[in-house]
Amino acid sequence: MAKKRPFARVDRLGSQVKEVLATALQRETREELLRGIVITDVEVTSDVSLARVYWHELPGAAEDREAVEAALTRANRFLRAKVGEVVRARITPELRFHHDDAL
């Protein structure tokens, strides 16, 4: 038999958060800088209190990484509220954005 993964619920929540954030950044945000970034991964802690969101800018879209980080900080409250509306979890995780240097 296949071995069960211990936190499948957390993985599902992470993929839902990733989908919601990607849609919100492309369609609903007022920040033009944020339309040029891609969410590469979301890791949710086992207690669902924190979500580490990894992002990367599209080529030629955003040249100033600090400006994008500042825009994400300004949009954090809106994005967390959007995640809370769509995901419908008991706890909406705090969003922490990290630049994905692996790409």
Side-chain angles (χ1 to χ4, degrees):
M1 285 183 83
K3 191 174 183 179
K4 289 187 178 182
R5 294 183 58 193
F7 296 110
R9 181 178 129 253
V10 174
D11 293 339
R12 281 193 310 271
L13 182 62
S15 68
Q16 286 178 333
V17 169
K18 180 180 176 182
E19 187 176 317
V20 169
L21 288 176
T23 303
L25 287 173
Q26 293 299 316
R27 298 183 184 161
E28 299 176 26
T29 185
R30 289 186 249 168
E31 298 274 351
E32 286 297 321
L33 284 174
L34 298 182
R35 294 177 194 257
I37 68 168
V38 176
I39 304 297
T40 57
D41 193 22
V42 174
E43 295 176 354
V44 180
T45 58
S46 60
D47 64 350
V48 191
S49 65
L50 177 67
R52 289 181 196 89
V53 181
Y54 296 94
W55 61 273
H56 190 75
E57 62 273 349
L58 292 172
E63 297 175 12
D64 189 13
R65 184 170 140 187
E66 288 79 23
V68 173
E69 289 175 350
L72 284 169
T73 302
R74 287 191 301 271
N76 195 348
R77 183 183 276 168
F78 165 75
L79 293 172
R80 186 174 182 198
K82 185 57 74 176
V83 168
E85 285 176 15
V86 176
V87 172
R88 300 301 236 176
R90 187 172 50 162
I91 298 172
T92 303
E94 176 186 344
L95 303 176
R96 296 229 179 116
F97 293 95
H98 303 280
H99 186 262
D100 191 357
D101 296 322
L103 297 176

